[in-house]
Amino acid sequence: MRTESRKDVLARLRSVAGHLKAVERMVEEDTYCVDVLKQTLAVEKALERIDAMILEEHLETCVADAFRQGKSERTVKELAEIFATARK
Amino acid sequence: MRTESRKDVLARLRSVAGHLKAVERMVEEDTYCVDVLKQTLAVEKALERIDAMILEEHLETCVADAFRQGKSERTVKELAEIFATARK
Amino acid sequence: MRTESRKDVLARLRSVAGHLKAVERMVEEDTYCVDVLKQTLAVEKALERIDAMILEEHLETCVADAFRQGKSERTVKELAEIFATARK
Amino acid sequence: MRTESRKDVLARLRSVAGHLKAVERMVEEDTYCVDVLKQTLAVEKALERIDAMILEEHLETCVADAFRQGKSERTVKELAEIFATARK
């Protein structure tokens, strides 16, 4: 990843870690299940936004290089795999 | 799409259309909601497999061409968009 | 399902079938992969809205009855299963 | 949540937090994007399993109580909302 994107991804991962810590506390304090669920779902959405950023970075750097160098076979397979895993 | 893939995608789309027709009949006959839901979810999974096939075809043809011709900007944007839409 | 909901679900299923038919034509005419993908994803979203309607109907009728009659064990298992399948 | 389930959910949340910490390190060490993505996707799957546990607990306790007491309107709305949010 390029330096700017890496910094951005790291800041978001740390924010997600903080959010997750707050969810732990909610469970310890026996908060209403539905309120806990709303928060775990929000954490998942935040992680999905991070995935999207990493993927875009990947497309603009590694994927672009691989296609330019005619070594795209592995790249295509990896992208197809990620797409499939992300939807499961 | 290449001819082989197009044929395969078409066959699967027609099979999904048949499946969907069967779901209509289930609803007309007032089948138990949970059994209907299981079938609509199965139709969605079948469509997701079709998406995966189209995407792989896209990566191996259009995307490969775009990167080789140095015209990848639109391609990267489109892939990022599809990834985001698919996960929503 | 209650009559009103059943009519609504049927109308939506038929609309999805029409949409799917249009996607078939797009593939036959060799439309750009990304434009096809956007349509298959739209069909999936439409199906997901139908799922949501069926589920809400199920909760308000069958699930309510099951709990009132103290026969909720199967119902809970079914709901948990549908939730898990829907997210896969 | 009942004590056993709460303990189980907490243990899993802590394990996810550890996994997320490892992903941070991968990004700091500039690991290949695809390998990072595989891990963030795995974290999301682990969170989805936690959602499923909390939902099942919710169905067996709060939802059961609400229906038995004839106060199911809010409960149905909440379940429909969670289902919709989880699929977005």
Side-chain angles (χ1 to χ4, degrees), chain C residues 27-52:
Chain C
V27 176
E28 282 164 355
E29 293 162 7
D30 205 13
T31 309
Y32 181 47
C33 307
V34 171
D35 294 327
V36 177
L37 264 176
K38 283 181 185 167
Q39 293 311 311
T40 54
L41 291 170
V43 168
E44 290 156 37
K45 296 302 160 204
L47 283 169
E48 289 182 13
R49 276 192 292 277
I50 295 175
D51 293 343

PDB file of all heavy atoms in Angstrom, chain C residues 27-52:
ATOM      1  N   VAL C  27     -27.488 -10.062 -22.140  1.00  0.00           N
ATOM      2  CA  VAL C  27     -26.390 -11.015 -22.338  1.00  0.00           C
ATOM      3  C   VAL C  27     -26.402 -11.522 -23.784  1.00  0.00           C
ATOM      4  O   VAL C  27     -25.351 -11.633 -24.423  1.00  0.00           O
ATOM      5  CB  VAL C  27     -26.483 -12.184 -21.333  1.00  0.00           C
ATOM      6  CG1 VAL C  27     -25.403 -13.225 -21.600  1.00  0.00           C
ATOM      7  CG2 VAL C  27     -26.378 -11.658 -19.906  1.00  0.00           C
ATOM      8  N   GLU C  28     -27.597 -11.802 -24.307  1.00  0.00           N
ATOM      9  CA  GLU C  28     -27.701 -12.247 -25.709  1.00  0.00           C
ATOM     10  C   GLU C  28     -27.110 -11.210 -26.666  1.00  0.00           C
ATOM     11  O   GLU C  28     -26.462 -11.552 -27.658  1.00  0.00           O
ATOM     12  CB  GLU C  28     -29.174 -12.492 -26.079  1.00  0.00           C
ATOM     13  CG  GLU C  28     -29.722 -13.818 -25.561  1.00  0.00           C
ATOM     14  CD  GLU C  28     -31.250 -13.870 -25.593  1.00  0.00           C
ATOM     15  OE1 GLU C  28     -31.878 -12.841 -25.925  1.00  0.00           O
ATOM     16  OE2 GLU C  28     -31.797 -14.938 -25.268  1.00  0.00           O
ATOM     17  N   GLU C  29     -27.342  -9.930 -26.339  1.00  0.00           N
ATOM     18  CA  GLU C  29     -26.833  -8.850 -27.210  1.00  0.00           C
ATOM     19  C   GLU C  29     -25.400  -8.467 -26.858  1.00  0.00           C
ATOM     20  O   GLU C  29     -24.897  -7.431 -27.324  1.00  0.00           O
ATOM     21  CB  GLU C  29     -27.768  -7.636 -27.091  1.00  0.00           C
ATOM     22  CG  GLU C  29     -29.154  -7.900 -27.672  1.00  0.00           C
ATOM     23  CD  GLU C  29     -30.185  -6.899 -27.168  1.00  0.00           C
ATOM     24  OE1 GLU C  29     -29.779  -5.932 -26.484  1.00  0.00           O
ATOM     25  OE2 GLU C  29     -31.387  -7.080 -27.466  1.00  0.00           O
ATOM     26  N   ASP C  30     -24.769  -9.250 -25.996  1.00  0.00           N
ATOM     27  CA  ASP C  30     -23.378  -9.042 -25.615  1.00  0.00           C
ATOM     28  C   ASP C  30     -23.109  -7.635 -25.055  1.00  0.00           C
ATOM     29  O   ASP C  30     -22.111  -6.981 -25.407  1.00  0.00           O
ATOM     30  CB  ASP C  30     -22.466  -9.302 -26.818  1.00  0.00           C
ATOM     31  CG  ASP C  30     -21.071  -9.701 -26.345  1.00  0.00           C
ATOM     32  OD1 ASP C  30     -20.929  -9.999 -25.147  1.00  0.00           O
ATOM     33  OD2 ASP C  30     -20.146  -9.697 -27.160  1.00  0.00           O
ATOM     34  N   THR C  31     -23.973  -7.197 -24.154  1.00  0.00           N
ATOM     35  CA  THR C  31     -23.800  -5.909 -23.472  1.00  0.00           C
ATOM     36  C   THR C  31     -22.537  -5.946 -22.603  1.00  0.00           C
ATOM     37  O   THR C  31     -22.119  -7.012 -22.145  1.00  0.00           O
ATOM     38  CB  THR C  31     -25.040  -5.642 -22.582  1.00  0.00           C
ATOM     39  OG1 THR C  31     -26.204  -5.813 -23.386  1.00  0.00           O
ATOM     40  CG2 THR C  31     -25.025  -4.252 -21.984  1.00  0.00           C
ATOM     41  N   TYR C  32     -21.951  -4.802 -22.373  1.00  0.00           N
ATOM     42  CA  TYR C  32     -20.740  -4.663 -21.545  1.00  0.00           C
ATOM     43  C   TYR C  32     -20.970  -5.325 -20.173  1.00  0.00           C
ATOM     44  O   TYR C  32     -21.947  -5.023 -19.465  1.00  0.00           O
ATOM     45  CB  TYR C  32     -20.418  -3.168 -21.399  1.00  0.00           C
ATOM     46  CG  TYR C  32     -19.180  -2.846 -20.600  1.00  0.00           C
ATOM     47  CD1 TYR C  32     -17.967  -3.515 -20.828  1.00  0.00           C
ATOM     48  CD2 TYR C  32     -19.199  -1.855 -19.611  1.00  0.00           C
ATOM     49  CE1 TYR C  32     -16.830  -3.202 -20.099  1.00  0.00           C
ATOM     50  CE2 TYR C  32     -18.067  -1.538 -18.879  1.00  0.00           C
ATOM     51  CZ  TYR C  32     -16.888  -2.216 -19.125  1.00  0.00           C
ATOM     52  OH  TYR C  32     -15.763  -1.907 -18.396  1.00  0.00           O
ATOM     53  N   CYS C  33     -20.044  -6.222 -19.792  1.00  0.00           N
ATOM     54  CA  CYS C  33     -20.148  -7.015 -18.551  1.00  0.00           C
ATOM     55  C   CYS C  33     -20.586  -6.183 -17.344  1.00  0.00           C
ATOM     56  O   CYS C  33     -21.423  -6.609 -16.543  1.00  0.00           O
ATOM     57  CB  CYS C  33     -18.795  -7.621 -18.156  1.00  0.00           C
ATOM     58  SG  CYS C  33     -17.979  -8.568 -19.413  1.00  0.00           S
ATOM     59  N   VAL C  34     -19.988  -5.010 -17.185  1.00  0.00           N
ATOM     60  CA  VAL C  34     -20.257  -4.191 -16.001  1.00  0.00           C
ATOM     61  C   VAL C  34     -21.719  -3.754 -15.975  1.00  0.00           C
ATOM     62  O   VAL C  34     -22.346  -3.728 -14.905  1.00  0.00           O
ATOM     63  CB  VAL C  34     -19.311  -2.971 -15.968  1.00  0.00           C
ATOM     64  CG1 VAL C  34     -19.712  -1.988 -14.881  1.00  0.00           C
ATOM     65  CG2 VAL C  34     -17.875  -3.442 -15.758  1.00  0.00           C
ATOM     66  N   ASP C  35     -22.280  -3.469 -17.144  1.00  0.00           N
ATOM     67  CA  ASP C  35     -23.694  -3.070 -17.194  1.00  0.00           C
ATOM     68  C   ASP C  35     -24.609  -4.264 -16.878  1.00  0.00           C
ATOM     69  O   ASP C  35     -25.639  -4.097 -16.231  1.00  0.00           O
ATOM     70  CB  ASP C  35     -24.032  -2.463 -18.563  1.00  0.00           C
ATOM     71  CG  ASP C  35     -23.292  -1.143 -18.765  1.00  0.00           C
ATOM     72  OD1 ASP C  35     -23.084  -0.436 -17.766  1.00  0.00           O
ATOM     73  OD2 ASP C  35     -22.897  -0.845 -19.899  1.00  0.00           O
ATOM     74  N   VAL C  36     -24.211  -5.441 -17.314  1.00  0.00           N
ATOM     75  CA  VAL C  36     -24.976  -6.651 -16.960  1.00  0.00           C
ATOM     76  C   VAL C  36     -24.913  -6.870 -15.447  1.00  0.00           C
ATOM     77  O   VAL C  36     -25.937  -7.094 -14.795  1.00  0.00           O
ATOM     78  CB  VAL C  36     -24.426  -7.895 -17.699  1.00  0.00           C
ATOM     79  CG1 VAL C  36     -25.182  -9.153 -17.262  1.00  0.00           C
ATOM     80  CG2 VAL C  36     -24.513  -7.718 -19.209  1.00  0.00           C
ATOM     81  N   LEU C  37     -23.710  -6.791 -14.897  1.00  0.00           N
ATOM     82  CA  LEU C  37     -23.515  -7.007 -13.461  1.00  0.00           C
ATOM     83  C   LEU C  37     -24.357  -6.042 -12.626  1.00  0.00           C
ATOM     84  O   LEU C  37     -24.942  -6.426 -11.612  1.00  0.00           O
ATOM     85  CB  LEU C  37     -22.042  -6.803 -13.100  1.00  0.00           C
ATOM     86  CG  LEU C  37     -21.182  -8.050 -13.024  1.00  0.00           C
ATOM     87  CD1 LEU C  37     -19.739  -7.677 -12.757  1.00  0.00           C
ATOM     88  CD2 LEU C  37     -21.663  -8.989 -11.921  1.00  0.00           C
ATOM     89  N   LYS C  38     -24.399  -4.775 -13.050  1.00  0.00           N
ATOM     90  CA  LYS C  38     -25.214  -3.803 -12.301  1.00  0.00           C
ATOM     91  C   LYS C  38     -26.678  -4.251 -12.264  1.00  0.00           C
ATOM     92  O   LYS C  38     -27.366  -4.060 -11.257  1.00  0.00           O
ATOM     93  CB  LYS C  38     -25.107  -2.412 -12.938  1.00  0.00           C
ATOM     94  CG  LYS C  38     -23.802  -1.711 -12.592  1.00  0.00           C
ATOM     95  CD  LYS C  38     -23.738  -0.323 -13.229  1.00  0.00           C
ATOM     96  CE  LYS C  38     -22.371   0.311 -12.979  1.00  0.00           C
ATOM     97  NZ  LYS C  38     -22.163   1.508 -13.842  1.00  0.00           N
ATOM     98  N   GLN C  39     -27.151  -4.846 -13.357  1.00  0.00           N
ATOM     99  CA  GLN C  39     -28.545  -5.288 -13.396  1.00  0.00           C
ATOM    100  C   GLN C  39     -28.765  -6.553 -12.565  1.00  0.00           C
ATOM    101  O   GLN C  39     -29.784  -6.679 -11.882  1.00  0.00           O
ATOM    102  CB  GLN C  39     -29.012  -5.517 -14.841  1.00  0.00           C
ATOM    103  CG  GLN C  39     -29.077  -4.238 -15.653  1.00  0.00           C
ATOM    104  CD  GLN C  39     -29.816  -3.115 -14.933  1.00  0.00           C
ATOM    105  OE1 GLN C  39     -30.908  -3.306 -14.416  1.00  0.00           O
ATOM    106  NE2 GLN C  39     -29.202  -1.944 -14.866  1.00  0.00           N
ATOM    107  N   THR C  40     -27.821  -7.516 -12.620  1.00  0.00           N
ATOM    108  CA  THR C  40     -28.027  -8.720 -11.798  1.00  0.00           C
ATOM    109  C   THR C  40     -27.990  -8.337 -10.313  1.00  0.00           C
ATOM    110  O   THR C  40     -28.774  -8.851  -9.507  1.00  0.00           O
ATOM    111  CB  THR C  40     -26.986  -9.834 -12.073  1.00  0.00           C
ATOM    112  OG1 THR C  40     -25.671  -9.285 -11.926  1.00  0.00           O
ATOM    113  CG2 THR C  40     -27.124 -10.391 -13.476  1.00  0.00           C
ATOM    114  N   LEU C  41     -27.118  -7.377  -9.963  1.00  0.00           N
ATOM    115  CA  LEU C  41     -27.073  -6.923  -8.569  1.00  0.00           C
ATOM    116  C   LEU C  41     -28.390  -6.243  -8.182  1.00  0.00           C
ATOM    117  O   LEU C  41     -28.889  -6.416  -7.065  1.00  0.00           O
ATOM    118  CB  LEU C  41     -25.882  -5.963  -8.354  1.00  0.00           C
ATOM    119  CG  LEU C  41     -24.496  -6.629  -8.438  1.00  0.00           C
ATOM    120  CD1 LEU C  41     -23.390  -5.586  -8.452  1.00  0.00           C
ATOM    121  CD2 LEU C  41     -24.268  -7.591  -7.271  1.00  0.00           C
ATOM    122  N   ALA C  42     -28.984  -5.497  -9.122  1.00  0.00           N
ATOM    123  CA  ALA C  42     -30.266  -4.833  -8.844  1.00  0.00           C
ATOM    124  C   ALA C  42     -31.373  -5.877  -8.643  1.00  0.00           C
ATOM    125  O   ALA C  42     -32.236  -5.721  -7.778  1.00  0.00           O
ATOM    126  CB  ALA C  42     -30.624  -3.883  -9.980  1.00  0.00           C
ATOM    127  N   VAL C  43     -31.346  -6.943  -9.438  1.00  0.00           N
ATOM    128  CA  VAL C  43     -32.328  -8.026  -9.271  1.00  0.00           C
ATOM    129  C   VAL C  43     -32.190  -8.638  -7.874  1.00  0.00           C
ATOM    130  O   VAL C  43     -33.187  -8.886  -7.188  1.00  0.00           O
ATOM    131  CB  VAL C  43     -32.126  -9.120 -10.352  1.00  0.00           C
ATOM    132  CG1 VAL C  43     -32.920 -10.375 -10.018  1.00  0.00           C
ATOM    133  CG2 VAL C  43     -32.515  -8.592 -11.732  1.00  0.00           C
ATOM    134  N   GLU C  44     -30.935  -8.845  -7.440  1.00  0.00           N
ATOM    135  CA  GLU C  44     -30.715  -9.416  -6.107  1.00  0.00           C
ATOM    136  C   GLU C  44     -31.256  -8.501  -5.005  1.00  0.00           C
ATOM    137  O   GLU C  44     -31.857  -8.970  -4.038  1.00  0.00           O
ATOM    138  CB  GLU C  44     -29.216  -9.687  -5.881  1.00  0.00           C
ATOM    139  CG  GLU C  44     -28.720 -10.853  -6.737  1.00  0.00           C
ATOM    140  CD  GLU C  44     -27.226 -10.807  -7.007  1.00  0.00           C
ATOM    141  OE1 GLU C  44     -26.462 -10.417  -6.119  1.00  0.00           O
ATOM    142  OE2 GLU C  44     -26.814 -11.160  -8.139  1.00  0.00           O
ATOM    143  N   LYS C  45     -31.035  -7.201  -5.152  1.00  0.00           N
ATOM    144  CA  LYS C  45     -31.572  -6.257  -4.147  1.00  0.00           C
ATOM    145  C   LYS C  45     -33.101  -6.345  -4.106  1.00  0.00           C
ATOM    146  O   LYS C  45     -33.710  -6.307  -3.040  1.00  0.00           O
ATOM    147  CB  LYS C  45     -31.180  -4.809  -4.469  1.00  0.00           C
ATOM    148  CG  LYS C  45     -29.693  -4.500  -4.430  1.00  0.00           C
ATOM    149  CD  LYS C  45     -29.069  -4.793  -3.089  1.00  0.00           C
ATOM    150  CE  LYS C  45     -27.552  -4.954  -3.231  1.00  0.00           C
ATOM    151  NZ  LYS C  45     -26.920  -5.753  -2.201  1.00  0.00           N
ATOM    152  N   ALA C  46     -33.730  -6.448  -5.286  1.00  0.00           N
ATOM    153  CA  ALA C  46     -35.196  -6.534  -5.345  1.00  0.00           C
ATOM    154  C   ALA C  46     -35.665  -7.810  -4.639  1.00  0.00           C
ATOM    155  O   ALA C  46     -36.666  -7.800  -3.907  1.00  0.00           O
ATOM    156  CB  ALA C  46     -35.668  -6.505  -6.792  1.00  0.00           C
ATOM    157  N   LEU C  47     -34.931  -8.904  -4.833  1.00  0.00           N
ATOM    158  CA  LEU C  47     -35.272 -10.154  -4.149  1.00  0.00           C
ATOM    159  C   LEU C  47     -35.092 -10.015  -2.635  1.00  0.00           C
ATOM    160  O   LEU C  47     -35.880 -10.549  -1.854  1.00  0.00           O
ATOM    161  CB  LEU C  47     -34.415 -11.308  -4.676  1.00  0.00           C
ATOM    162  CG  LEU C  47     -34.838 -11.873  -6.033  1.00  0.00           C
ATOM    163  CD1 LEU C  47     -33.771 -12.806  -6.587  1.00  0.00           C
ATOM    164  CD2 LEU C  47     -36.166 -12.635  -5.902  1.00  0.00           C
ATOM    165  N   GLU C  48     -34.061  -9.299  -2.234  1.00  0.00           N
ATOM    166  CA  GLU C  48     -33.833  -9.112  -0.797  1.00  0.00           C
ATOM    167  C   GLU C  48     -34.978  -8.328  -0.155  1.00  0.00           C
ATOM    168  O   GLU C  48     -35.342  -8.564   0.990  1.00  0.00           O
ATOM    169  CB  GLU C  48     -32.494  -8.403  -0.549  1.00  0.00           C
ATOM    170  CG  GLU C  48     -31.320  -9.328  -0.854  1.00  0.00           C
ATOM    171  CD  GLU C  48     -29.960  -8.693  -0.579  1.00  0.00           C
ATOM    172  OE1 GLU C  48     -29.901  -7.638   0.067  1.00  0.00           O
ATOM    173  OE2 GLU C  48     -28.951  -9.271  -1.033  1.00  0.00           O
ATOM    174  N   ARG C  49     -35.528  -7.374  -0.913  1.00  0.00           N
ATOM    175  CA  ARG C  49     -36.676  -6.630  -0.365  1.00  0.00           C
ATOM    176  C   ARG C  49     -37.887  -7.555  -0.219  1.00  0.00           C
ATOM    177  O   ARG C  49     -38.652  -7.441   0.733  1.00  0.00           O
ATOM    178  CB  ARG C  49     -37.012  -5.429  -1.262  1.00  0.00           C
ATOM    179  CG  ARG C  49     -36.140  -4.207  -0.923  1.00  0.00           C
ATOM    180  CD  ARG C  49     -36.653  -2.944  -1.596  1.00  0.00           C
ATOM    181  NE  ARG C  49     -36.497  -2.986  -3.040  1.00  0.00           N
ATOM    182  CZ  ARG C  49     -35.378  -2.683  -3.700  1.00  0.00           C
ATOM    183  NH1 ARG C  49     -34.309  -2.299  -3.031  1.00  0.00           N
ATOM    184  NH2 ARG C  49     -35.317  -2.761  -5.008  1.00  0.00           N
ATOM    185  N   ILE C  50     -38.033  -8.484  -1.163  1.00  0.00           N
ATOM    186  CA  ILE C  50     -39.120  -9.469  -1.056  1.00  0.00           C
ATOM    187  C   ILE C  50     -38.908 -10.357   0.173  1.00  0.00           C
ATOM    188  O   ILE C  50     -39.835 -10.611   0.946  1.00  0.00           O
ATOM    189  CB  ILE C  50     -39.210 -10.313  -2.355  1.00  0.00           C
ATOM    190  CG1 ILE C  50     -39.617  -9.406  -3.532  1.00  0.00           C
ATOM    191  CG2 ILE C  50     -40.219 -11.464  -2.191  1.00  0.00           C
ATOM    192  CD1 ILE C  50     -39.627 -10.104  -4.889  1.00  0.00           C
ATOM    193  N   ASP C  51     -37.661 -10.813   0.373  1.00  0.00           N
ATOM    194  CA  ASP C  51     -37.349 -11.604   1.577  1.00  0.00           C
ATOM    195  C   ASP C  51     -37.784 -10.855   2.830  1.00  0.00           C
ATOM    196  O   ASP C  51     -38.357 -11.441   3.749  1.00  0.00           O
ATOM    197  CB  ASP C  51     -35.827 -11.819   1.723  1.00  0.00           C
ATOM    198  CG  ASP C  51     -35.247 -12.695   0.638  1.00  0.00           C
ATOM    199  OD1 ASP C  51     -36.015 -13.399  -0.029  1.00  0.00           O
ATOM    200  OD2 ASP C  51     -34.012 -12.654   0.461  1.00  0.00           O
ATOM    201  N   ALA C  52     -37.444  -9.570   2.878  1.00  0.00           N
ATOM    202  CA  ALA C  52     -37.748  -8.767   4.067  1.00  0.00           C
ATOM    203  C   ALA C  52     -39.260  -8.710   4.310  1.00  0.00           C
ATOM    204  O   ALA C  52     -39.717  -8.793   5.454  1.00  0.00           O
ATOM    205  CB  ALA C  52     -37.176  -7.357   3.914  1.00  0.00           C
TER     206      ALA C  52
END
